[in-house]
Amino acid sequence: MKKLINSADSVVADALAGMAAAHPGELEVDLDNRLVYRATPKEQGKVAIISGGGSGHEPLHGGFVGTGMLDAACAGEVFTSPVPDQIVAATTAVDRGAGVLHIVKNYTGDVMNFEMAAEIVDMESGIQVATVVTNDDVAVEDSLYTAGRRGVGVTVLVEKIAGAAAEEGQSLEEVARIAAAVNDAGRSMGMALTSCTVPANGKPSFDLPEEEMEIGIGIHGEPGRHREPIAPASQIAARLVEPILAELPAGDGRGVIALLNGMGGTPLLELYLMYDEVARLLADAGVVVERRLVGNYITSLDMAGCSLTLVRADDEMLRLWDAPVSTPGLRWGI
Amino acid sequence: MKKLINSADSVVADALAGMAAAHPGELEVDLDNRLVYRATPKEQGKVAIISGGGSGHEPLHGGFVGTGMLDAACAGEVFTSPVPDQIVAATTAVDRGAGVLHIVKNYTGDVMNFEMAAEIVDMESGIQVATVVTNDDVAVEDSLYTAGRRGVGVTVLVEKIAGAAAEEGQSLEEVARIAAAVNDAGRSMGMALTSCTVPANGKPSFDLPEEEMEIGIGIHGEPGRHREPIAPASQIAARLVEPILAELPAGDGRGVIALLNGMGGTPLLELYLMYDEVARLLADAGVVVERRLVGNYITSLDMAGCSLTLVRADDEMLRLWDAPVSTPGLRWGI
């Protein structure tokens, strides 16, 4: 297994220690609970936001902790949901008296554990919790690990936009409404050129022959729609854009925020090249791209491939998108 | 070949078009000359800075064009120097009457073509040009493509720090002095778990057996110091830290700026984990890390692996490091 690790058992703890070492004064890590916090907590009276999920998708979620985005992130084992105790600890720690929004990707384990944590928090402390479950992946209706669509790339945009709403002092109800609106307006589709290797397994999660790619892949390597021979980037872009546009909410003259995301093992050179194809297809379809982000934001360990997320964005979403953000993974305006 | 490309011939042009599409209002691209420019040019009277080199190292150099860093970048074919005409075009376009600094990685082709371009610029327009050649790689004394040490990771830090000096209005002589000082104070060492595949070749540049890694690798996959069985991250970190510290300029109580850089195919999870090991070794050696950067900054296509760069930094370098920068690849304070 070709990985920069000490042992499969300690990957998550070692990486969290590295995040703390890499971002002193910005992030703090609770190694017992596997949590990433802001070094400087948010002011009293503002809504706090947490997210979390299996590790292996960095910079999601810990890399999005900071001003204008998350207050804390709960790191599960690689590709494994965090447990309720972690989520309870994070929720309790970040609450500033205005309640806490949980942003949860739609995977059965995550949804169950965040629900359980919300119940425990309610019983133990009465902190108000609202939950938004993201489910933007158009590839499959139900999947290996989900009932309903999987939650993937839109999660990054929900965290950014809801984070900005919370930072400017909106209520828990409002922040949750905006988060849900972004999710409802978002659709994603991914593809893989290669599998990924979970450290504890020591071998690729699936086999993908040298001349084939998988369309509609999930972020854990779970099966997508189909396999086909590797095609030029222009055709691959069409495989992502078309199914998304088929299910994207109608425009009413509104444009989109686009995220062209790398899966972890794809060089930036190829992501830029893919974005050019995506931008061309969107222009041909009459879709105006209002904002865009190209890079590695929600990854699948060392998988080579990419995903596209489009959010049909209203003025409020664009304004909150543009608001200052200062996290290791997204930073502008500060 | 598992790549997101249209054809091996058009990779660089297609990716540059994608950069322009991904960063409207921030970057502009001259596709004829394969140049990346700032969309809003620097004010008259300030020193301009350009760099460039073979493509395949993104975000270097085009991703570092913007306020507080480069004014333009010249993109060669993959792993191939830009030609003098490109460099002349960039130099002429960015000059604001105060001269232009060329930042060049020490590879024979790059050094020769930047020299030739500087001579042409001098004859044709009389624009003042100063040149700093980076040569920080301690792995090998001469290499496949260089006389003397190779120029690698320190280039990112030279571009940032010299860029800040130019932005605050320092003279060409001063900006060149600072750039040279950063290079002189910097040392790097890299390692690879896998080879990389140049699109035009269609197969890995070298073979690296499943259980082996290469220590001292260059950013084009050129040979390093030796191969050995893959070791735990803690031991790999020692293979990077020890040879760097052996050649790093003495401290005089000064700390370092550290760059733990991914080669393109290594997930952020592993880079953070590696940084934890590096930070521990530096602490053990009594080296204070004043600033640090962890991520993909100077890559080698899809190579899995990492490199470490340390710069023994004085107060001026730290001040210029902290200055605002706004580029696709580095952004803070703005």
Coordinates of all heavy atoms in Angstrom, one line a residue, chain B residues 143-206:
Chain B
S143 N 22.3 17.0 -11.6 CA 21.2 16.1 -11.9 C 21.0 15.9 -13.4 O 21.8 16.5 -14.2 CB 19.9 16.6 -11.3 OG 19.3 17.5 -12.1
L144 N 20.0 15.1 -13.7 CA 19.8 14.8 -15.1 C 19.6 16.1 -15.9 O 20.0 16.1 -17.1 CB 18.5 14.0 -15.1 CG 18.1 13.1 -16.3 CD1 19.3 12.1 -16.6 CD2 16.8 12.3 -16.1
Y145 N 19.0 17.1 -15.4 CA 18.6 18.3 -16.1 C 19.3 19.6 -15.6 O 19.0 20.7 -16.0 CB 17.1 18.5 -16.1 CG 16.3 17.4 -16.6 CD1 15.3 16.8 -15.8 CD2 16.5 16.8 -17.9 CE1 14.6 15.7 -16.2 CE2 15.7 15.8 -18.3 CZ 14.8 15.2 -17.4 OH 14.0 14.2 -17.9
T146 N 20.3 19.4 -14.7 CA 20.9 20.6 -14.1 C 22.3 20.5 -13.9 O 22.9 19.4 -13.7 CB 20.3 21.0 -12.7 OG1 20.6 19.9 -11.8 CG2 18.8 21.2 -12.7
A147 N 23.0 21.6 -13.9 CA 24.3 21.8 -13.3 C 24.1 22.4 -12.0 O 23.4 23.5 -11.9 CB 25.2 22.6 -14.2
G148 N 24.5 21.8 -10.9 CA 24.2 22.4 -9.6 C 22.9 21.8 -9.1 O 22.2 21.0 -9.8
R149 N 22.5 22.3 -7.9 CA 21.3 21.8 -7.3 C 20.0 22.3 -8.1 O 20.0 23.3 -8.7 CB 21.1 22.3 -5.9 CG 22.2 21.8 -4.9 CD 21.8 22.1 -3.5 NE 21.6 23.5 -3.3 CZ 22.3 24.3 -2.5 NH1 23.3 23.8 -1.8 NH2 22.0 25.6 -2.4
R150 N 19.0 21.4 -8.1 CA 17.7 21.7 -8.7 C 17.0 22.8 -8.0 O 17.0 22.9 -6.7 CB 16.9 20.5 -8.8 CG 17.5 19.4 -9.6 CD 16.7 18.1 -9.6 NE 16.6 17.5 -8.3 CZ 16.6 16.1 -8.1 NH1 16.7 15.3 -9.1 NH2 16.4 15.7 -6.9
G151 N 16.2 23.6 -8.7 CA 15.3 24.6 -8.0 C 13.9 24.0 -7.9 O 13.3 23.6 -8.9
V152 N 13.4 23.9 -6.6 CA 12.1 23.3 -6.4 C 11.3 24.1 -5.4 O 11.0 25.3 -5.8 CB 12.3 21.8 -5.9 CG1 12.8 20.9 -7.1 CG2 13.3 21.7 -4.7
G153 N 10.9 23.6 -4.3 CA 9.9 24.2 -3.4 C 10.2 25.6 -3.0 O 9.3 26.4 -2.8
V154 N 11.5 26.0 -2.9 CA 11.7 27.4 -2.4 C 11.2 28.4 -3.4 O 10.9 29.5 -3.0 CB 13.3 27.6 -2.1 CG1 14.0 27.9 -3.4 CG2 13.5 28.6 -1.1
T155 N 11.0 28.0 -4.6 CA 10.5 28.9 -5.6 C 9.2 29.5 -5.2 O 8.9 30.7 -5.4 CB 10.3 28.2 -6.9 OG1 11.5 27.4 -7.2 CG2 10.1 29.1 -8.1
V156 N 8.3 28.7 -4.5 CA 7.0 29.2 -4.1 C 7.2 30.3 -3.0 O 6.6 31.4 -3.1 CB 6.2 28.1 -3.4 CG1 4.9 28.6 -2.9 CG2 6.0 27.0 -4.4
L157 N 8.2 30.1 -2.1 CA 8.4 31.1 -1.1 C 9.1 32.3 -1.6 O 8.9 33.5 -1.2 CB 9.3 30.5 0.0 CG 8.4 29.5 0.9 CD1 8.1 28.2 0.3 CD2 9.2 29.2 2.2
V158 N 10.0 32.2 -2.6 CA 10.7 33.3 -3.3 C 9.6 34.1 -4.0 O 9.6 35.4 -3.9 CB 11.8 32.8 -4.2 CG1 12.3 34.0 -5.1 CG2 12.9 32.2 -3.5
E159 N 8.7 33.5 -4.7 CA 7.7 34.2 -5.4 C 6.8 35.0 -4.4 O 6.4 36.2 -4.7 CB 6.8 33.3 -6.3 CG 7.7 32.7 -7.4 CD 6.9 31.7 -8.3 OE1 5.7 31.5 -8.1 OE2 7.5 31.2 -9.3
K160 N 6.4 34.4 -3.3 CA 5.6 35.1 -2.3 C 6.3 36.3 -1.7 O 5.7 37.4 -1.6 CB 5.1 34.1 -1.2 CG 4.5 34.8 0.0 CD 3.2 35.5 -0.3 CE 2.6 36.2 0.9 NZ 3.2 37.6 1.0
I161 N 7.5 36.1 -1.2 CA 8.2 37.1 -0.5 C 8.7 38.2 -1.4 O 8.6 39.4 -1.1 CB 9.4 36.5 0.3 CG1 8.7 35.6 1.4 CG2 10.3 37.5 0.9 CD1 9.7 34.7 2.2
A162 N 9.3 37.9 -2.5 CA 9.7 38.9 -3.5 C 8.4 39.7 -4.0 O 8.5 40.9 -4.2 CB 10.4 38.3 -4.7
G163 N 7.3 38.9 -4.2 CA 6.1 39.6 -4.7 C 5.6 40.6 -3.7 O 5.2 41.7 -4.1
A164 N 5.7 40.3 -2.4 CA 5.3 41.3 -1.4 C 6.2 42.5 -1.4 O 5.8 43.7 -1.3 CB 5.3 40.7 0.0
A165 N 7.5 42.3 -1.6 CA 8.5 43.4 -1.7 C 8.2 44.3 -2.9 O 8.2 45.6 -2.7 CB 9.9 42.9 -1.7
A166 N 7.9 43.7 -4.0 CA 7.6 44.5 -5.2 C 6.3 45.3 -5.0 O 6.2 46.4 -5.4 CB 7.4 43.6 -6.4
E167 N 5.3 44.6 -4.4 CA 4.0 45.3 -4.1 C 4.1 46.5 -3.3 O 3.4 47.5 -3.5 CB 3.0 44.3 -3.5 CG 1.6 44.5 -3.8 CD 1.2 44.1 -5.3 OE1 1.4 43.0 -5.7 OE2 0.8 45.0 -6.0
E168 N 5.0 46.5 -2.3 CA 5.2 47.7 -1.4 C 6.1 48.7 -2.0 O 6.4 49.7 -1.4 CB 5.5 47.3 0.0 CG 6.9 46.6 0.2 CD 7.1 46.3 1.7 OE1 6.2 45.9 2.4 OE2 8.3 46.3 2.1
G169 N 6.6 48.5 -3.3 CA 7.3 49.6 -4.0 C 8.8 49.6 -3.9 O 9.4 50.5 -4.2
Q170 N 9.3 48.4 -3.4 CA 10.8 48.4 -3.4 C 11.4 48.4 -4.8 O 10.8 48.0 -5.7 CB 11.2 47.2 -2.5 CG 10.7 47.2 -1.1 CD 11.5 46.3 -0.1 OE1 12.7 46.2 -0.3 NE2 10.8 45.8 0.9
S171 N 12.7 48.7 -4.9 CA 13.4 48.8 -6.2 C 13.7 47.4 -6.7 O 13.7 46.5 -6.0 CB 14.7 49.6 -6.0 OG 15.6 48.9 -5.2
L172 N 14.0 47.4 -8.0 CA 14.4 46.1 -8.6 C 15.6 45.5 -7.9 O 15.6 44.3 -7.6 CB 14.7 46.3 -10.1 CG 15.1 45.1 -10.9 CD1 13.9 44.0 -10.8 CD2 15.4 45.4 -12.3
E173 N 16.5 46.3 -7.5 CA 17.7 45.8 -6.9 C 17.3 45.2 -5.5 O 17.8 44.1 -5.1 CB 18.7 47.0 -6.7 CG 20.1 46.6 -6.2 CD 21.0 47.9 -6.0 OE1 20.5 49.0 -6.3 OE2 22.1 47.7 -5.4
E174 N 16.5 45.9 -4.8 CA 16.0 45.4 -3.5 C 15.2 44.1 -3.6 O 15.4 43.2 -2.8 CB 15.2 46.5 -2.8 CG 16.0 47.4 -1.9 CD 16.7 46.6 -0.8 OE1 16.1 46.1 0.1 OE2 18.0 46.4 -0.9
V175 N 14.3 44.1 -4.5 CA 13.4 42.9 -4.7 C 14.3 41.7 -5.1 O 14.1 40.6 -4.6 CB 12.3 43.2 -5.8 CG1 11.6 41.9 -6.1 CG2 11.4 44.3 -5.3
A176 N 15.3 41.9 -6.0 CA 16.2 40.9 -6.4 C 17.0 40.4 -5.2 O 17.3 39.2 -5.1 CB 17.0 41.3 -7.6
R177 N 17.5 41.3 -4.4 CA 18.3 41.0 -3.2 C 17.5 40.1 -2.3 O 18.0 39.0 -1.8 CB 18.7 42.2 -2.5 CG 19.6 41.9 -1.3 CD 19.8 43.2 -0.4 NE 18.6 43.7 0.2 CZ 17.9 43.1 1.2 NH1 18.3 42.0 1.8 NH2 16.8 43.6 1.7
I178 N 16.2 40.5 -2.0 CA 15.4 39.7 -1.1 C 15.1 38.3 -1.7 O 15.2 37.3 -1.0 CB 14.1 40.4 -0.8 CG1 14.4 41.7 0.1 CG2 13.1 39.5 -0.1 CD1 13.3 42.7 0.1
A179 N 14.8 38.3 -3.0 CA 14.6 37.0 -3.6 C 15.8 36.1 -3.5 O 15.6 34.9 -3.2 CB 14.2 37.2 -5.1
A180 N 16.9 36.6 -3.8 CA 18.2 35.8 -3.7 C 18.4 35.3 -2.2 O 18.9 34.2 -2.0 CB 19.4 36.6 -4.2
A181 N 18.1 36.2 -1.3 CA 18.3 35.9 0.1 C 17.4 34.7 0.6 O 17.8 33.8 1.3 CB 18.0 37.1 1.0
V182 N 16.1 34.7 0.1 CA 15.2 33.7 0.4 C 15.8 32.3 -0.2 O 15.8 31.3 0.5 CB 13.8 33.9 -0.1 CG1 12.9 32.7 0.1 CG2 13.2 35.2 0.6
N183 N 16.2 32.4 -1.4 CA 16.7 31.2 -2.0 C 17.9 30.7 -1.3 O 18.1 29.5 -0.9 CB 17.1 31.4 -3.5 CG 17.7 30.2 -4.1 OD1 17.1 29.2 -4.2 ND2 19.0 30.3 -4.5
D184 N 18.8 31.6 -0.9 CA 20.1 31.2 -0.2 C 19.7 30.6 1.2 O 20.5 29.8 1.7 CB 21.0 32.4 0.0 CG 21.6 32.9 -1.3 OD1 21.5 32.2 -2.3 OD2 22.1 34.0 -1.4
A185 N 18.6 31.0 1.8 CA 18.3 30.6 3.1 C 17.4 29.3 3.0 O 17.0 28.8 4.1 CB 17.5 31.7 3.8
G186 N 17.1 28.8 1.8 CA 16.2 27.7 1.7 C 16.8 26.4 1.2 O 17.7 26.4 0.4
R187 N 16.3 25.3 1.7 CA 16.7 24.0 1.3 C 15.5 23.1 1.2 O 14.6 23.2 2.0 CB 17.7 23.4 2.3 CG 19.0 24.2 2.4 CD 19.9 24.1 1.2 NE 21.2 24.8 1.4 CZ 21.4 26.1 1.3 NH1 20.5 26.9 1.0 NH2 22.6 26.6 1.6
S188 N 15.5 22.1 0.3 CA 14.4 21.2 0.0 C 14.8 19.8 -0.2 O 16.0 19.5 -0.6 CB 13.6 21.6 -1.2 OG 13.0 22.9 -1.0
M189 N 13.9 18.9 0.1 CA 14.2 17.5 -0.2 C 12.8 16.8 -0.5 O 11.8 17.1 0.2 CB 14.8 16.8 1.0 CG 15.2 15.4 0.9 SD 16.8 15.1 0.1 CE 16.9 13.3 0.2
G190 N 12.7 16.0 -1.5 CA 11.5 15.4 -1.9 C 11.5 13.8 -1.9 O 12.6 13.3 -1.9
M191 N 10.4 13.2 -2.0 CA 10.3 11.8 -2.1 C 9.1 11.4 -2.8 O 8.1 12.1 -2.9 CB 10.3 11.1 -0.7 CG 9.2 11.4 0.2 SD 7.6 10.6 -0.1 CE 8.1 8.9 -0.1
A192 N 9.1 10.2 -3.5 CA 8.0 9.7 -4.3 C 7.6 8.3 -3.9 O 8.5 7.5 -3.6 CB 8.3 9.8 -5.8
L193 N 6.3 8.1 -3.9 CA 5.8 6.7 -3.7 C 5.5 6.1 -5.1 O 5.5 4.9 -5.2 CB 4.5 6.8 -2.9 CG 4.5 7.2 -1.4 CD1 3.1 7.4 -0.9 CD2 5.3 6.1 -0.6
T194 N 5.2 7.0 -6.0 CA 4.8 6.5 -7.4 C 5.5 7.4 -8.4 O 6.0 8.5 -8.1 CB 3.3 6.6 -7.7 OG1 2.9 8.0 -7.8 CG2 2.5 5.9 -6.6
S195 N 5.5 7.0 -9.6 CA 6.0 7.8 -10.7 C 4.9 8.7 -11.2 O 3.9 8.8 -10.5 CB 6.4 6.8 -11.9 OG 6.9 7.6 -13.0
C196 N 5.2 9.5 -12.2 CA 4.1 10.3 -12.8 C 4.1 10.0 -14.3 O 5.1 9.4 -14.8 CB 4.4 11.8 -12.6 SG 6.1 12.3 -13.1
T197 N 3.0 10.3 -15.0 CA 2.9 10.0 -16.4 C 2.7 11.3 -17.2 O 1.8 12.1 -17.0 CB 1.6 9.1 -16.6 OG1 1.8 7.9 -15.9 CG2 1.4 8.9 -18.1
V198 N 3.7 11.6 -18.0 CA 3.6 12.7 -18.9 C 2.7 12.4 -20.0 O 2.8 11.3 -20.7 CB 5.0 13.1 -19.5 CG1 5.0 14.2 -20.5 CG2 6.0 13.4 -18.4
P199 N 1.6 13.2 -20.3 CA 0.6 12.9 -21.3 C 1.2 12.5 -22.6 O 0.7 11.5 -23.2 CB -0.2 14.2 -21.4 CG -0.1 14.8 -20.1 CD 1.3 14.5 -19.6
A200 N 2.2 13.2 -23.1 CA 2.8 12.9 -24.4 C 3.5 11.5 -24.5 O 3.6 10.9 -25.5 CB 3.7 13.9 -24.9
N201 N 3.9 11.0 -23.3 CA 4.5 9.7 -23.3 C 3.5 8.5 -23.1 O 3.7 7.4 -23.5 CB 5.6 9.6 -22.1 CG 6.7 10.6 -22.4 OD1 6.8 11.1 -23.5 ND2 7.4 11.0 -21.3
G202 N 2.5 8.8 -22.3 CA 1.4 7.9 -22.1 C 1.7 6.7 -21.2 O 0.9 5.9 -20.9
K203 N 2.9 6.7 -20.6 CA 3.2 5.7 -19.6 C 4.1 6.3 -18.5 O 4.7 7.4 -18.7 CB 3.9 4.5 -20.2 CG 5.2 4.8 -21.0 CD 5.7 3.6 -21.6 CE 7.0 3.8 -22.5 NZ 8.0 4.6 -21.9
P204 N 4.2 5.7 -17.3 CA 4.9 6.3 -16.2 C 6.4 6.6 -16.6 O 7.0 5.8 -17.4 CB 4.8 5.2 -15.1 CG 3.6 4.4 -15.4 CD 3.5 4.4 -16.9
S205 N 6.9 7.7 -16.1 CA 8.2 8.1 -16.4 C 9.3 7.1 -16.0 O 10.4 7.1 -16.5 CB 8.5 9.5 -15.8 OG 7.6 10.4 -16.3
F206 N 9.0 6.4 -14.9 CA 9.9 5.4 -14.4 C 9.1 4.4 -13.6 O 7.9 4.6 -13.3 CB 11.0 6.0 -13.5 CG 10.5 6.8 -12.3 CD1 10.4 6.1 -11.1 CD2 10.1 8.1 -12.4 CE1 9.9 6.8 -10.0 CE2 9.6 8.8 -11.3 CZ 9.5 8.1 -10.1

